[in-house]
Amino acid sequence: SAGISCKHSSAARRTVYNIATAPVVLTFAAVTTGTLPPGYSPQGIYCRVCFLKTDSMDQDKEYVGFATLPNQVHRKSVKKGFDFTLMVAGESGLGKSTLVNSLFLTDLYKDRKFLNAEERITQTVDIIKHTVDIEEKGVKLKLTIVDTPGFGDAVNNAECWKPIADYIDQQFEQYFRDESGLNRKNIQDNRVHCCLYFISPFGHGLRPLDVEFMKALHEKVNIVPVLAKADTLTPSEISRKKQKIREEIEHFGIKIYQFPDCDSDEDEEFKQQDQELKQSIPFAVIGSNTVVEAKGKRVRGRLYPWGIVEVENQSHCDFVKLRNMLVRTHMQDLKDVTRDTHYENYRAQCIQSMTRMVVKERNRNKLTRESGTDFPIPIVPAVTDIETEKLIREKDEELRRMQEMLQKIQQQITTKQDVF
C-alpha cells in the first residue's frame, strides 16, 4: 500500500533491500546510518509490529488498521492449532505404515502387533486410529492417522470397503450432531480429510478391488492414489503404469482429488510446481525409516546390492511431491473440499431425510384427525436403521399421548356445555 504509514515508531520498522533476486532484510538503523552494501536498492519498508508495507516513514498520514486482519487471523490460528485426519488404505505389505512414518517423521506404529497365518485367515477389516501431536516452529498440528488393516487380504473381498465407508459416514454423522447441538464451541473435527489409496505395483493397472473401492468412496472423501513400492519398477515402467492408471481412472468415472487451478497472479514457479503435481498422479513413492550413507551424506533410504534408493530424491520417487502436497501446499484445500463438498452433500441428504420424515408424520396426523381414530396410523419405515425406528416409535407414542389429552379436553368442554 503505497503512501500508507502505521502508528508505530520508526525504530520498529525494517527495510527490505533487494540485489538481483535475493531479498535482504536490514535494520532501520543500518539504513539511516548509510551502511548499505553497494548495489542494493530499496524494495519496501515494513513495520516489525503490524507488518504493513509502507513507502514512507511519515507518521502524519491517516491509518485505519484493517490491513493487519490477515496477521490477526494468523496469530489466532497458530494459537488454536490445526488438525488433520489422514486415512491410508490398501492391502497389506505395500508399505503404508512406513510411508506414514516417513511423511511426518514420527513412529505411529511402535505398539503394532503382527498377526500369524491362522489369525490372518479369520481377520476382518478393522478401523484403527492413531493420534499424535506434532509441533514445528511454534505451529501445533493434531494429526490423526486412520489405518485399515485387513483390507483386501481375504480370499473373498466382496464389499470389504463397506466398514471404511461406514466409518467415514459415522464421522460425518457425529459432526452433524455436534453442529446441531446446543454447545458448538468445542466441536472436534474427526472427519476424514484425505485418503491415500495404495495401488500394488505388481500388475498391469487397477484391479477390480481398486476400482470398486474408489467408486464406493469418491463421493465421501478426497482420494489420492499412490503407486506403492516404486523401487520395484524401472523409470519407464513407472511412467507406463502411471499413464495406464490415469486412463483407467478416467474410463471408470472415478473422481479422485482434483488440484485447484492456479490464480492468474501466482508466480511462474508455483504454477510449474502445480503442473508437476498434476502430472505425478498417481504418486510413485518409497518409504524408509532407516538412515543410510550415500556420497558422504546420511539420508533416509534403502540399501540394495546395486545401490541406494533415496526417499527424498525426486529423481528416485515422488515422495517429496506427495509430502509437499499433503503438508505444505494443499492441506487446507483438502480440508475445505471435505467441508464444502463431501460434508455438505451428507448434510443435505440428512436434512432431506428429516424433512421427508416430518412430512410423513404431518400427513399421518392429518389422516388420523380426519378418520377420527384414537390411534396413529402405522407406517412401515423406509429404512431399517435401529436409531431411526426408535425415533419413529417415540414420535408415535408422543403423538398418541397428545391425542388422548386433546380428547379429554374436548370431553371436559362438552360436559361443561351440557351443564350450562
Side-chain angles (χ1 to χ4, degrees), residues 292-406:
V292 297
E293 188 171 343
K295 298 180 181 179
K297 296 182 179 179
R298 295 180 62 82
V299 296
R300 280 188 301 153
R302 292 183 176 273
L303 180 63
Y304 292 100
W306 44 264
I308 296 176
V309 178
E310 300 178 24
V311 171
E312 299 185 6
N313 190 332
Q314 297 195 41
S315 62
H316 292 182
C317 67
D318 298 329
F319 174 84
V320 174
K321 294 179 182 178
L322 176 62
R323 183 180 62 187
N324 290 343
M325 186 277 292
L326 281 178
V327 181
R328 298 185 180 181
T329 58
H330 291 79
M331 177 179 282
Q332 188 59 45
D333 186 69
L334 287 166
K335 298 177 67 174
D336 292 342
V337 173
T338 301
R339 181 190 67 237
D340 300 335
T341 302
H342 301 303
Y343 173 69
E344 281 302 317
N345 291 339
Y346 176 85
R347 182 173 175 271
Q349 292 175 1
C350 287
I351 294 176
Q352 289 175 358
S353 300
M354 294 169 63
T355 303
R356 287 195 295 266
M357 188 182 300
V358 171
V359 171
K360 287 182 180 179
E361 289 187 1
R362 287 180 178 176
N363 293 337
R364 179 175 52 185
N365 192 16
K366 182 179 179 181
L367 292 173
T368 303
R369 289 198 304 267
E370 290 177 353
S371 61
T373 56
D374 296 336
F375 55 88
I377 299 175
I379 294 181
V380 178
V383 293
T384 58
D385 187 74
I386 299 177
E387 294 186 0
T388 305
E389 293 179 355
K390 182 180 178 181
L391 179 62
I392 292 176
R393 287 197 298 269
E394 292 177 353
K395 293 292 184 181
D396 290 342
E397 183 66 23
E398 183 180 357
L399 184 60
R400 187 184 64 79
R401 290 197 301 268
M402 293 177 62
Q403 289 176 344
E404 291 178 353
M405 291 177 59
L406 182 61

Side-chain angles (χ1 to χ4, degrees), residues 164-198:
I164 302 175
D166 292 341
Y167 175 83
I168 295 174
D169 286 337
Q170 289 171 7
Q171 306 313 308
F172 282 155
E173 179 184 0
Q174 184 61 44
Y175 192 88
F176 180 73
R177 290 178 181 273
D178 295 342
E179 191 181 45
S180 305
L182 297 177
N183 185 13
R184 303 174 56 187
K185 289 185 178 180
N186 300 317
I187 298 179
Q188 287 189 351
D189 186 6
N190 293 320
R191 296 171 295 184
V192 180
H193 301 120
C194 179
C195 175
L196 293 182
Y197 184 71
F198 286 69

Side-chain angles (χ1 to χ4, degrees), residues 52-64:
L52 179 70
K53 181 178 180 180
T54 63
D55 292 334
S56 172
M57 300 301 292
D58 187 6
Q59 300 292 326
D60 299 331
K61 294 184 178 180
E62 187 176 0
Y63 170 68
V64 178

